Amino acid sequence: MEHLPVEVIGNILSRLGGARDVVIASATCRKWREACRKHLHTLSFNSNDWHVYHDLTTRRLEILITQTIFQTTGLQGLSILMDDVDDFSASTVIAWLMYTRETLHRLIYNVRTTPNVNILEICGRQKLETLELSHNSITGVEPNFQRFPCLKSLSLSYVSISALDLNLLLTACPKIETFGLVNPEIAMSDAQVTVELSSPTLKSVYVEAISLDKFILEADSIESLHLKDCALELFELIGKGTLKHFKIDDVSVIQLYIGETVDNLESIDVSNFTIIWPKFYQMISKSSKLRKLRLWDVVFDDEDEIVDLENIAVCFPHLSHLALSYDLRDGVVNYGLQGSSHLENVIILELGWTVINDLFSLWVEGLLKLCPHLKKLVIRGVVSEAKSHEECQMLANFTSSIVQLMRTYMHVDVQFDYE
């Protein structure tokens, strides 16, 4: 170890990440202390990594973090995550950021301060490429002054920001490609809560736990869109047909538009969602490049609606991964097995239930017949803790049926996943 260059030792220490581990390792000898001081690239303070963080007074914790940061030069990555810790002094936090801002490429910041610290004003016009902000208030965004010329990834969690400032912030990031928005507090000037965002460079967007009347996203280069746990009256994506991956999970939305041109869609994942199948199918039916389709725990607006697997086979000839959950209502299965077309390219099939019954194994058998080149079958199910004798017997019968069925499909890898 004594022959290792200090630059290599600096890289080793940077991979440790946690500030406590870095400090302990750097105490090994003078060479390691020098590596920590001059060649450490990444440093992380996380209140969940070490219980002592919660035992220290806020003042003592500020001193500890200050001493550690000020012993370094040239930090490129700084992570400060202080959950369940009292408010820090704003002047102390500003000192950390001012000391490191010229070399930082990545900042992960979750610190409550009194008063609020304007991160944009301090870190704007620097080299930041990744910025993750939590529990912060953002006001008065000035795109010309608070500009992030190198920023490619922005994540905002539990922040307070107006709809106008949110759009201006994206405008201030001319190279942004990835954007995440989690449970924001959107300040609005009128009764209708509307957010309009526009960015020509965005490629990936993740939105979680947001409640709005209207959410309009204009992104000409977007490839991935994920909506989770949202309540929206209208969501509209305005783009140029670049979307490849669309995922929607536990979302309530009255009007959903993901653009007229969906020719490049490769993956659609819908779960915990009320769906009007004819409209949804019409929206995605031109996605001839689709390779993955997942419809899981979806509720059909019309209980008599049937997802015609014949149409899926014809419209999505490149489909290789199909995932469907089984729901039997009044003797009707929402996924019809009629038709003669096979799902020729499906090699992965995921099937599941919420409430199992004797018809599930017959449905599985019918789908297996439609997938002549299947390589992997995953069975997912929910098993209640308090099982009646009837439920246990039904599960046993299903297991026996699957064992017998798979003797016909010896080439298929079968996995079971119960919760």
Side-chain angles (χ1 to χ4, degrees), residues 8-17 22 25-26 32 35-36 40 42:
V8 175
I9 297 173
N11 288 331
I12 294 173
L13 292 174
S14 297
R15 292 181 181 275
L16 293 177
V22 170
S26 65
W32 282 64
C36 180
L40 184 69
T42 304

Side-chain angles (χ1 to χ4, degrees), residues 247-259:
K247 185 173 183 178
I248 185 166
D249 180 11
D250 197 13
V251 171
S252 171
V253 59
I254 298 175
Q255 300 179 70
L256 173 66
Y257 304 101
I258 58 173

